[in-house]
Amino acid sequence: MSKLQNPVQMAVIGAAHGIKGELRVKTFTGDPMALADYGPLYARDGRAFQITDIRPANTVVVVRFKGVSDRNAAEALAGTELFVDRSMLPDDGEEDEFYHADLIGLEIRDDTGAVIGKVVAVHNFGGGDILDVTLEGRKGVLIPFTQAAVPQVSIAEGFVRVDPVAAGLVEEDGEASREDDFDPKGRPRGPRDAGGNR
């Protein structure tokens, strides 16, 4: 992705729609129709995609890209992830709103300030946002991204602070919790999607 310094994923191309080159596209913007507002979108290999037409269709949008005029060309694009540079996104959100891309790579600090891990991804499986972290040598540890579990986020200083008990990392008596005890309690902190919305 040579053209983008700091890529943020905006969408992924799905199946072809009809025979004239249209495609079903899953967007990660708050308003799916806003996908057309960011100018050219870029694939990982640097290819640029310009939207010439977009319309809503159930849970996705149907998009026509410049230069894609038949079903065969459209089918060849299935699964292509589309990005813009982070500089194209607004920074006017509320204090407790963050882009997922800004959280990835941040240090995880405990309530004493000690660095105990790193954020590697942010997921949302339908029940709220979850930080996927490497923690003290363990990969794939999941922490609910709630006010209780993650009381402090400092993008500028490069860390998030977690409450080990609320994050489900230890039980209240100090013992390590079991995976099947995971309970994502608390108010979601509300990371913003690529369109700047919760």
Side-chain angles (χ1 to χ4, degrees):
M1 210 174 324
S2 57
K3 297 189 179 189
L4 303 183
Q5 298 295 316
N6 191 0
V8 175
Q9 186 175 0
M10 302 295 283
V12 60
I13 296 175
H17 183 82
I19 60 171
K20 296 185 179 179
E22 291 183 316
L23 288 144
R24 296 172 60 85
V25 176
K26 178 182 178 183
T27 71
F28 303 119
T29 56
D31 172 10
M33 296 295 289
L35 185 65
D37 297 342
Y38 296 96
L41 303 167
Y42 295 90
R44 287 189 186 276
D45 60 10
R47 288 177 294 160
F49 292 84
Q50 184 177 338
I51 294 174
T52 60
D53 187 52
I54 184 170
R55 68 179 190 275
N58 296 326
T59 60
V60 297
V61 289
V62 174
V63 174
R64 182 183 301 278
F65 293 107
K66 185 176 182 179
V68 180
S69 58
D70 62 50
R71 187 173 181 90
N72 288 339
E75 287 176 344
L77 298 174
T80 302
E81 297 172 328
L82 301 174
F83 300 83
V84 296
D85 194 85
R86 172 68 175 81
S87 63
M88 298 294 294
L89 303 177
D91 277 321
D92 58 355
E94 295 179 20
E95 185 177 335
D96 65 344
E97 293 182 328
F98 313 94
Y99 289 110
H100 288 186
D102 292 341
L103 297 170
I104 296 169
L106 296 182
E107 292 179 345
I108 302 284
R109 297 184 186 176
D110 66 13
D111 46 5
T112 69
V115 176
I116 60 171
K118 183 177 181 179
V119 179
V120 295
V122 181
H123 305 292
N124 188 322
F125 302 113
D129 291 297
I130 298 172
L131 300 182
D132 187 347
V133 304
T134 56
L135 196 64
E136 298 171 342
R138 294 182 294 159
K139 293 183 179 179
V141 178
L142 301 178
I143 295 175
F145 192 56
T146 62
Q147 189 72 42
V150 187
Q152 183 181 8
V153 176
S154 177
I155 302 295
E157 296 179 47
F159 76 92
V160 298
R161 184 171 60 82
V162 300
D163 177 316
V165 174
L169 303 177
V170 296
E171 294 187 17
E172 296 207 31
D173 61 5
E175 292 181 18
S177 66
R178 301 190 327 260
E179 270 186 40
D180 57 356
D181 290 335
F182 179 73
D183 182 19
K185 296 186 230 176
R187 180 178 71 83
R189 293 196 59 110
R192 290 183 288 164
D193 57 30
N197 300 291
R198 286 184 183 222

